[in-house]
Amino acid sequence: METTAIILHADLDAFYASVEQLLDPTLRGKPIAVGGAVVLAASYEARAFGVRGGMPGRKARELCPQLIFVGGNFSHYQRLGDAAIKVLDDFTPVVERISIDEAFADVAGCTHLFGSPREIATTIRGRVRAELGLPISIGVARTKHLAKIASQVAKPDGLVVVEPGTELAFLHDLPVSLMWGVGPATRARLAEIGVETIGELARTHSGALARLLGPAAGEKLAALSWNRDPRKLETKRRAHSAGAQSALGQKPAVARVIVPTLLHLADRVASRLRAKNRPGRTVTVRVRFADLSAVTRSITLEQPISATAMLAEIAGDLVRGVLAEHPCEKTISLLAISVSHLEESAELQLDLPLGLADEKRRPGSQKGLARFGADRAIDKIRQRFGKQAVGYGTVALEAARSVPDAFRELAEKEL
């Protein structure tokens, strides 16, 4: 581990909402939300009323009657996000971008040119504000995990530098919800055993964490709670998985909701796999219920797949299995699909026509090849005429309207 704090985590504040307020000055200082049926992003003024991303628009309006909804200027999001990351590039070549609006930067090799990490971070913030008109928060620390936490503490529009020798004192008083990998479900489980701060997590016996969260997750969070994070920045990282999710608000857990949603998600994921010729073997689904508890299930296949219909059907089986295991859950709030164990230009093993029950889900079967061929034809039509030119059924398109595809694409990693 470095002996000085040289890792920066830069995060544009309330990015989508901030861009809207930049483009329309009359919105500045007002509670706004990007979206409609679902809140895609909320300004800090809206967050003060409890409005959050992923929340149904109706509930957001109940919390904040004066809330202003805007449709979203997606081309400007991409342009301004790229421009902000370019400012980091001007100081160091060691930049790891992790989303459209946030990135890590290692400034160890450029302090002799631009000053201390604190001075570099201050200059970056000033340039982003002056050149782009956007607020940006930066955390500086010795590790990626602590730098990211520091940037969250710095919000809105601030700078926090965590110097060696002060790290655990800074970290241990903070809530566990700030940790990477601690979502609502994990936070609720930790609260059940009286763990609400990172310091309390650090002092919890490893065996108790393993029983509560599983061995891998328990060991990882325990290490992070002591600021043990050996990860280096990855400037040319390729994604190990492709995924998509759909926030549903509060919908009944029935086929007329689940089937079209999974088909739309499978379309988004599989088309990306085909575009990069990277089929995957492991299919994972996530089902979140009304109380925000979530269940994940996965299956690893004999052959990698990238066909939309195959992926949708396999995901459907997994989701039905989850619901069968939780018969009391009648409402779902989110569905997600991801494909991992991606392969590079995998060779397809052809199947003999044996009349197997799952033949249409086998990539090398006659039916599997026909499905893949249909997908390729759809891909070519979309490349020429746009994504809305052809789809996999009107029900799938209806299921997607609450969140624009342009917004989803901004969040999806390059394979």
Side-chain angles (χ1 to χ4, degrees):
M1 185 183 294
E2 292 285 342
T3 57
T4 56
I6 46 81
I7 295 178
L8 278 60
H9 180 262
D11 193 353
L12 290 156
D13 296 325
F15 178 54
Y16 301 109
S18 294
V19 171
E20 297 299 331
Q21 291 174 324
L22 173 68
L23 297 175
D24 184 355
T26 65
L27 297 176
R28 293 176 186 173
K30 298 178 181 179
I32 72 165
V34 180
V38 175
V39 175
L40 306 179
S43 67
Y44 280 104
E45 296 85 356
R47 294 181 188 184
F49 290 87
V51 178
R52 295 290 185 272
M55 177 179 291
R58 180 180 301 175
K59 182 177 180 181
R61 289 186 178 90
E62 291 174 355
L63 292 172
C64 181
Q66 63 270 45
L67 186 65
I68 302 170
F69 272 91
V70 294
N73 290 278
F74 300 100
S75 62
H76 289 291
Y77 299 157
Q78 189 68 64
R79 174 180 64 82
L80 291 167
D82 291 345
I85 303 303
K86 178 64 171 61
V87 174
L88 298 179
D89 292 335
D90 288 345
F91 290 86
T92 173
V94 188
V95 175
E96 178 185 342
R97 188 173 185 175
I98 57 176
S99 71
I100 189 174
D101 59 348
E102 62 179 319
F104 289 102
D106 187 330
V107 297
C110 61
T111 54
H112 62 293
L113 293 174
F114 304 113
S116 69
R118 178 187 292 273
E119 291 170 327
I120 293 172
T122 299
T123 304
I124 290 171
R125 293 186 61 243
R127 279 190 54 184
V128 171
R129 171 66 78 175
E131 297 173 15
L132 305 177
L134 292 172
I136 186 169
S137 294
I138 298 181
V140 185
R142 290 194 298 171
T143 65
K144 292 174 71 174
H145 181 250
L146 189 54
K148 184 172 174 64
I149 287 180
S151 72
Q152 294 179 73
V153 174
K155 289 180 175 294
D157 196 18
L159 168 63
V160 170
V161 180
V162 186
E163 298 289 357
T166 68
E167 295 162 331
L168 295 184
F170 170 81
L171 188 62
H172 282 179
D173 287 337
L174 297 174
V176 291
S177 58
L178 291 181
M179 296 182 71
W180 221 338
V182 177
T186 301
R187 181 179 61 194
R189 291 179 184 176
L190 290 171
E192 291 174 358
I193 61 171
V195 174
E196 296 185 352
T197 68
I198 297 175
E200 290 169 341
L201 175 65
R203 293 186 290 272
T204 301
H205 190 276
S206 59
L209 290 178
R211 288 190 296 272
L212 185 70
L213 306 175
E219 182 179 357
K220 179 181 178 180
L221 289 182
L224 293 177
S225 71
W226 289 103
N227 196 34
R228 293 195 289 266
D229 182 11
R231 294 172 300 168
K232 302 296 182 181
L233 272 66
E234 300 179 45
T235 59
K236 296 182 179 179
R237 179 179 58 182
R238 296 198 75 186
H240 300 295
S241 65
Q245 66 180 31
S246 179
L248 303 173
Q250 301 287 327
K251 293 292 180 66
V254 294
R256 62 179 173 80
V257 173
I258 294 170
V259 172
T261 302
L262 291 179
L263 182 55
H264 180 70
L265 294 175
D267 183 17
R268 286 165 51 196
V269 173
S271 61
R272 293 169 61 205
L273 298 178
R274 293 192 299 273
K276 297 297 183 179
N277 195 19
R278 298 192 70 193
R281 290 180 178 272
T282 300
V283 178
T284 303
V285 300
R286 182 166 174 255
V287 183
R288 191 175 71 193
F289 300 116
D291 62 356
L292 299 184
S293 64
V295 177
T296 301
R297 293 289 182 270
S298 63
I299 184 172
T300 298
L301 309 170
E302 294 180 2
Q303 288 185 282
I305 66 168
S306 61
T308 295
M310 287 183 197
L311 179 57
E313 291 172 2
I314 293 167
D317 287 348
L318 293 172
V319 170
R320 283 189 288 273
V322 169
L323 296 176
E325 295 170 4
H326 298 80
C328 295
E329 299 289 352
K330 304 299 182 182
T331 303
I332 54 177
S333 59
L334 178 142
L335 288 174
I337 297 176
S338 67
V339 178
S340 55
H341 292 133
L342 306 185
E343 299 192 1
E344 302 279 354
S345 304
E347 294 184 2
L348 182 62
Q349 177 66 48
L350 298 180
D351 292 349
L352 293 173
L354 301 177
L356 300 175
D358 64 345
E359 185 174 322
K360 65 180 181 178
R361 297 186 186 178
R362 293 176 172 269
S365 69
Q366 186 175 3
K367 293 181 179 179
L369 290 170
R371 285 180 148 186
F372 185 77
D375 286 335
R376 279 300 194 191
I378 288 176
D379 293 339
K380 290 180 180 179
I381 293 172
R382 288 174 168 175
Q383 288 171 8
R384 183 171 180 181
F385 300 105
K387 290 190 175 181
Q388 300 304 317
V390 63
Y392 292 85
T394 55
V395 288
L397 296 178
E398 288 290 338
R401 285 182 177 172
S402 62
V403 180
D405 282 341
F407 186 87
R408 292 184 171 112
E409 289 168 5
L410 292 176
E412 291 174 347
K413 295 178 182 178
E414 182 69 17
L415 297 182

